[in-house]
């Protein structure tokens, strides 16, 4: 998420410290010390009740940084043991997210309630609008019976003093598929059978309690063992750091990546295949097709909307095609995708060509730990040329535009519809299209889980406004997709 | 001429500061001059060299207003400092 807050800074600092610790002589000991280094004896306690609680929360964040599921932690296992696990495991954990119980505030459950602003007025519109008879008057003031309240919010709108408010649980409220709920303990718990890995809860929690499991130590371990490690940059990377993409190429090589590829190359393959798929479907009489490059959307269809699956393009994602090309060139290399979101970890876990996924945040932490000023790096050219359209994929409308460009004259009947972000409402709309077999506003539906496209993914660093500009100017410098071999 | 105050704001856009949050301070470069006109000058600058000295305390992002350093800078902190400098 681009909005800077202390929870995000904490996370990035811990990652940077963990990477630094990895390169010391005693990784296990230095990882153990991170909570103490960050909250030394006698320091000011910023957020929680005491320094011990803060250290406990940091310890858990270190574990997430090591890629361990916190749900199974018994609190007796020393961090050192997890450090060993992180360096030995062959495959990262399948589940992408984890809840840090020590950081979770155990927020009060969702409720509508009357504040002291209630004037006990004569008109009592709250009483009259409630269809569920949940409101009564106690000591002359409005009171909502939680048993009867359906949280419809009508009374909130009715009160002329704005005295009634809805208290929400931010993560629950953000989840479009009700996958995160409160366990009996009051702490948030993710139902992994429902989770589409969109990461909206990660961004929503003001305590930073929902965490992704990092794969950073896995990647650095492979590098240390001497594997050729190849970085694949999501097109959104072009707008993430205060430098050009070619400078980023150099910066990653300094860290030890053997080669760096643009995933915009794979985007060009996606565009071409998707255009073909679209034409075939229209010819056979389909009324619409949806895109298939957002992994959170693909999970949504798989887990919650199977009726949509026949409308989803069969085209693979840009990452899929890129990883295939990379593995063809370097069959025994280890591939790492740098991603704007955690959702791509889910996609990667089903694709043998993608070994690891790191986010832009983790890339940032690497640069901090290695003390690399990206803006001072020289430029390194990419071996293969990506197109204008491929570079534009991470911006809302970019995929639809690319399909259109490939279709050329045949695009005259194409009418793109942009689903800007997955939420309860847009999911309802999508369900309707699937049920009716038709979408009234168009025939190519581009679905992005994140508002505005991947440039506002949940693990981006730059502000959306700036990265929109940067991605745009990098795209403008490219050639048209049809001009490239 | 006396009374013509100049406040010079340098937002560090070095890598550490950028990752730790100065990416969100970039908008100051546009908004501040609009608000204060010629009295205040804002620019994004490369690493101020503070992150390596102070990294242990992880106080990035840094912003310099004239000669004063703001640690853990936020838009709010920077605007307050500008107001203070203008009033001086
Ligand atoms: S990642 Fe998305 S689907 Fe999963 S629990 Fe969080 S908000 Fe819900
Ligand atoms: S829109 Fe892009 S960044 Fe957001 S979940 Fe989908 S693939 Fe990830
Ligand atoms: S990056 Fe800001 S002081 Fe170094």
């Amino acid at each position: 998420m681009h909005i800077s807050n202390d929870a995000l800074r904490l996370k990035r600092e811990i990652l940077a410290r963990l990477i630094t610790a990895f390169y010391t002589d005693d990784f296990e000991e230095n990882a153990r010390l991170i909570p103490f280094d960050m909250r030394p004896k006698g320091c000011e306690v910023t957020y929680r009740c005491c320094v011990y609680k803060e250290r406990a929360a940091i310890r858990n964040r270190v574990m997430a940084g090591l890629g361990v599921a916190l749900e199974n932690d018994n609190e007796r296992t020393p961090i050192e043991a997890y450090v060993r696990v992180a360096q030995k495991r062959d495959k990262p954990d399948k589940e992408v997210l984890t809840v840090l119980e020590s950081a979770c505030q155990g927020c009060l459950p969702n409720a509508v309630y009357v504040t002291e602003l209630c004037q006990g007025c004569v008109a009592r519109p709250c009483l009259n609008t409630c269809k569920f008879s949940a409101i009564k008057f106690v000591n002359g003031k409005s009171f909502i019976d939680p048993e009867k309240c359906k949280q419809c919010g009508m009374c909130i709108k009715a009160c002329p003093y704005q005295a009634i408010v809805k208290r929400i649980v931010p993560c629950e409220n953000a989840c479009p598929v009700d996958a995160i709920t409160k366990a009996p303990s009051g702490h948030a718990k993710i139902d992994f059978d429902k989770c589409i890995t969109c990461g909206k809860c990660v961004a929503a929690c003001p305590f930073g309690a929902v965490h992704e499991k990092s794969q950073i130590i896995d990647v650095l371990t492979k590098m240390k063992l001497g594997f050729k490690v190849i970085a694949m940059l999501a097109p959104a990377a072009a707008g993430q750091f205060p430098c050009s993409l070619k400078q980023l190429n150099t910066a990653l090589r300094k860290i030890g990546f053997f080669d760096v590829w643009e995933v915009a190359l794979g985007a060009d393959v996606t565009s071409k295949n998707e255009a073909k798929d679209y034409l075939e479907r229209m010819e056979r009489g389909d009324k619409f097709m949806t895109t298939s490059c957002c992994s959170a959307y693909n999970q949504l269809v798989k887990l919650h909307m199977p009726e949509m699956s026949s409308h989803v393009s069969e085209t693979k994602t840009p990452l899929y095609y890129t990883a295939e090309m990379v593995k063809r060139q370097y069959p025994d290399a280890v591939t790492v995708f740098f991603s704007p979101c955690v959702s791509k970890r889910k996609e990667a876990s089903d694709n043998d060509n993608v070994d690891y996924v790191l986010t832009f945040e983790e890339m940032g932490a690497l640069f901090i730990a290695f003390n690399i000023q990206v803006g001072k790096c020289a430029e390194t050219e990419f071996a293969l040329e990506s197109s204008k359209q491929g570079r534009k994929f991470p911006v809302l409308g970019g995929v639809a535009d690319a399909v259109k460009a490939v279709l050329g004259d045949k695009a005259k009947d194409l009418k793109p519809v942009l689903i800007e972000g997955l939420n309860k409402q847009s999911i309802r709309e999508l369900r309707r299209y699937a049920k009716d077999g038709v979408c009234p506003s168009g025939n190519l539906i581009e679905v992005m889980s994140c508002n505005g496209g991947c440039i506002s993914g949940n693990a981006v660093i730059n502000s959306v406004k700036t990265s929109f500009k940067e991605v745009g100017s990098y795209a403008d410098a490219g050639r048209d997709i049809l001009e490239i071999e | 001429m006396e009374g013509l105050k100049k406040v010079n704001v340098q937002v560090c856009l070095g890598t550490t500061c950028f990752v730790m949050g100065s990416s969100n301070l970039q908008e100051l470069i546009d908004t501040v001059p609009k608000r204060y006109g010629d009295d205040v000058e804002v620019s994004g600058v490369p690493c101020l060299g503070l992150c390596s000295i102070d990294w242990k305390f992880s106080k990035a992002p840094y912003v310099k207003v004239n000669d004063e350093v703001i640690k853990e800078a936020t838009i709010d902190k920077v605007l307050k400092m500008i107001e203070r400098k203008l009033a001086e």
Side-chain angles (χ1 to χ4, degrees), chain A residues 123-163:
Chain A
R124 298 190 170 175
C126 56
L127 190 69
N128 301 328
T129 41
C130 180
K131 290 201 203 94
F132 309 101
S133 313
I135 297 187
K136 57 185 176 191
F137 273 70
V138 180
N139 296 332
K141 299 260 171 131
S142 174
F143 173 82
I144 299 175
D145 181 348
E147 299 288 314
K148 290 188 182 157
C149 172
K150 299 259 189 278
Q151 302 186 10
C152 69
M154 292 301 284
C155 56
I156 300 178
K157 289 195 203 118
C159 174
Y161 295 100
Q162 303 188 348

Side-chain angles (χ1 to χ4, degrees), chain A residues 156-261:
Chain A
I156 300 178
K157 289 195 203 118
C159 174
Y161 295 100
Q162 303 188 348
I164 307 180
V165 295
K166 180 160 188 187
R167 182 182 68 210
I168 56 168
V169 180
C171 58
E172 272 185 35
N173 200 51
C175 180
V177 293
D178 298 324
I180 190 162
T181 46
K182 290 160 80 61
S185 67
H187 293 114
K189 195 171 176 3
I190 298 174
D191 180 346
F192 291 111
D193 295 329
K194 284 189 180 169
C195 174
I196 61 172
T197 67
C198 65
K200 296 196 193 283
C201 50
V202 179
C205 175
F207 285 87
V210 192
H211 231 288
E212 65 268 21
K213 289 178 225 156
S214 182
Q215 302 178 355
I216 189 92
I217 298 304
D218 308 57
V219 172
L220 297 180
T221 305
K222 290 282 183 221
M223 246 177 219
K224 210 177 204 169
L225 290 172
F227 284 88
K228 268 186 199 147
V229 183
I230 316 289
M232 305 181 286
L233 300 179
Q240 285 303 304
F241 289 90
C243 69
S244 69
L245 204 62
K246 290 174 189 167
Q247 286 178 303
L248 212 54
N249 185 338
T250 312
L252 288 166
R253 286 167 195 267
K254 283 192 179 173
I255 287 170
F257 287 93
F258 183 78
D259 197 356
V260 184
W261 288 54

